[in-house]
Each structure stands twice: as structure tokens, then as C-alpha cells.
Amino acid sequence: KKDDAKEFKLKFPKEHYQKNFAGKDVDIKVKAKEVYTLEYPEINEDFAKKLGQKSLEELRNLLTANISKEEEKKETERVEVAILDQVIEGSTFGEIPEVLLNAEKQKIFYELKQGLEERGISVEQYLNDIKKSEKELQDGFAEQADKRAKAALISRAIAKENNLAVEESELSAEVDAIRAAYPNNPTVEENLKRREVIDTIASTVQNRKVMAWLKEKIIAQ
């Protein structure tokens, strides 16, 4: 009912996007602000046409294809994480520079911030809810930052040793794909003029080439 409140513990999934919560027992407090009845539409030809499809069959085919692509994407990500874990475990590292670890913590923080904003939550509200400062939150990213830094170092080493350079045409194609995904977006256009953004895009393309190389070598075995 409206204004009902409950408190309970919940174990977050190990793969949860908020790494400081992943796999941990978290205290949850909830309160029902409003209560609604969900009314489902009738699944018929008119429903399909309202969603821009010519027929119900076409809509079903589209949904099936989208679900299939999503599952393929999840499996690809699972395989890539497993490969990176295997390569990191089999590699020897010296002391990881603090500046590199801090850079990765910043990246993780901004990724979290972007994810929150997409859900309509400000990072200030989030920090207030978990009762942590920005520094305390970033300190909790230490293990994840260490792993990401090692993955970045390995990727650069493999790229250098195997001449996996990013061609200008590949970089241009990636930039064009970003523009196509965000048409007429002034913020995106402004960001694409910044050297550090282009460098990040180039690193993404190079990492993709390294991962393809690793897959060929490891999965083939």
C-alpha cells in the first residue's frame, strides 16, 4: 500500500555494474510512494503497427533477433573477460604506477556517473545515499582499477609486439560511427574535437584489435 516501508538485506550479483556493491550483502530500505495497476495492451496487428512494424509476425521476428543479438553480446563479453583474466594471471608485473591506477579509478567513476545519470540519478544524490565521499568511492575501485591497468598494459605490449597499429581509416570509421549514433549532437561534435577524446577512441580500436588477436590465438588452441 502507499507509504508502506520495508528494510531487508540483499546480496548483489557478482557481476553488478556498481563494483563496490558486487557480491556484497547490502542493507535496503524502500518506501512505496504510489501504487499503480499495470494494464497490458492486447498483442495484435494494431499493436505491432503502433510500434512501427507492418505486422505482428514482423514484430516477433524483430524482437527475436534483438534478443539473440543481446545474448551474443553477453557471451562475447564473458569470453573476453575470461581471456583477459587468463592473460593477466599468466603475466608478471612490476609495481603499477600510482598515476595509472588513479586514471583508471577516474574512468570507473565517470562510467558510474554516466550510468547513474542515464537512470535519472545525480552522482551527488548517489554519494549521499551510500554515505561516502567521492574519494572514498574511488578508493573502493582499487582492485578493479588494478585489473584494468594491467589489462591496458598487456594490450599495449601485445599491440607493439605484433604491429597491431590503428590505421587512420579505422579511426575515421570509428569516429563516423559515433557521429551516426548521435546525429546533430553538439556535445558529441565538441568532444570529437578534443585530442584526448580521439586518443581514447584510438585506444578502444586498438584494444579491439588486440582482443581479436588474442581470441584467434587462445580459442584456436
Side-chain angles (χ1 to χ4, degrees):
K1 301 183 296 298
K2 183 179 179 180
D3 294 327
D4 275 357
K6 288 191 177 184
E7 298 183 16
F8 55 92
K9 285 186 179 292
L10 181 68
K11 181 177 286 294
F12 274 41
K14 291 182 179 180
E15 65 277 9
H16 197 270
Y17 77 97
Q18 295 179 24
K19 300 303 179 184
N20 55 316
F21 288 159
K24 296 180 180 179
D25 289 326
V26 179
D27 292 320
I28 306 291
K29 296 180 180 180
V30 295
K31 182 177 181 180
K33 294 184 176 181
E34 297 288 346
V35 180
Y36 299 91
T37 298
L38 181 60
E39 297 180 355
Y40 292 99
E42 185 178 353
I43 308 301
N44 53 27
E45 297 294 329
D46 288 339
F47 175 75
K49 289 176 182 178
K50 287 179 181 178
L51 294 178
Q53 304 304 309
K54 295 178 181 178
S55 66
L56 184 57
E57 181 182 3
E58 188 175 287
L59 175 61
R60 292 186 189 279
N61 290 339
L62 176 63
L63 291 174
T64 300
N66 287 344
I67 292 171
S68 179
K69 287 179 182 177
E70 182 66 24
E71 291 303 313
E72 288 175 4
K73 180 182 176 183
K74 288 180 182 178
E75 178 60 14
T76 297
E77 291 174 350
R78 185 195 68 78
V79 170
E80 290 180 354
V81 168
I83 287 175
L84 276 177
D85 286 345
Q86 181 180 338
V87 174
I88 290 173
E89 186 177 347
S91 302
T92 302
F93 298 87
E95 184 176 352
I96 306 297
E98 195 68 25
V99 64
L100 191 56
L101 293 174
N102 288 336
E104 290 299 333
K105 288 179 184 178
Q106 278 286 329
K107 289 179 185 177
I108 296 168
F109 174 76
Y110 284 118
E111 288 166 8
L112 173 61
K113 181 181 177 182
Q114 183 179 3
L116 290 170
E117 289 174 349
E118 288 174 355
R119 293 166 175 79
I121 303 171
S122 69
V123 70
E124 291 78 16
Q125 177 187 340
Y126 176 75
L127 290 171
N128 183 62
D129 289 343
I130 64 174
K131 295 178 173 56
K132 286 186 178 181
S133 67
E134 182 177 323
K135 183 180 183 305
E136 289 172 331
L137 179 62
Q138 290 197 28
D139 287 343
F141 298 150
E143 183 177 345
Q144 187 183 1
D146 181 73
K147 182 177 178 180
R148 285 176 51 151
K150 288 177 178 178
L153 290 171
I154 287 172
S155 181
R156 291 173 195 168
I158 292 174
K160 184 177 180 180
E161 291 173 7
N162 297 277
N163 298 317
L164 301 175
V166 178
E167 302 294 338
E168 192 64 37
S169 59
E170 294 174 315
L171 182 57
S172 296
E174 191 72 14
V175 170
D176 288 344
I178 293 172
R179 284 199 173 102
Y182 301 93
N184 303 317
N185 187 314
T187 302
V188 171
E189 289 298 327
E190 190 62 32
N191 285 336
L192 289 175
K193 295 177 183 177
R194 294 163 54 191
R195 184 69 254 174
E196 63 269 27
V197 172
I198 297 299
D199 289 343
T200 299
I201 295 171
S203 295
T204 299
V205 175
Q206 186 177 74
N207 290 340
R208 198 180 300 151
K209 294 181 76 169
V210 168
M211 182 54 66
W213 185 89
L214 283 171
K215 284 181 179 179
E216 183 179 344
K217 298 295 181 182
I218 295 175
I219 296 177
Q221 295 176 2

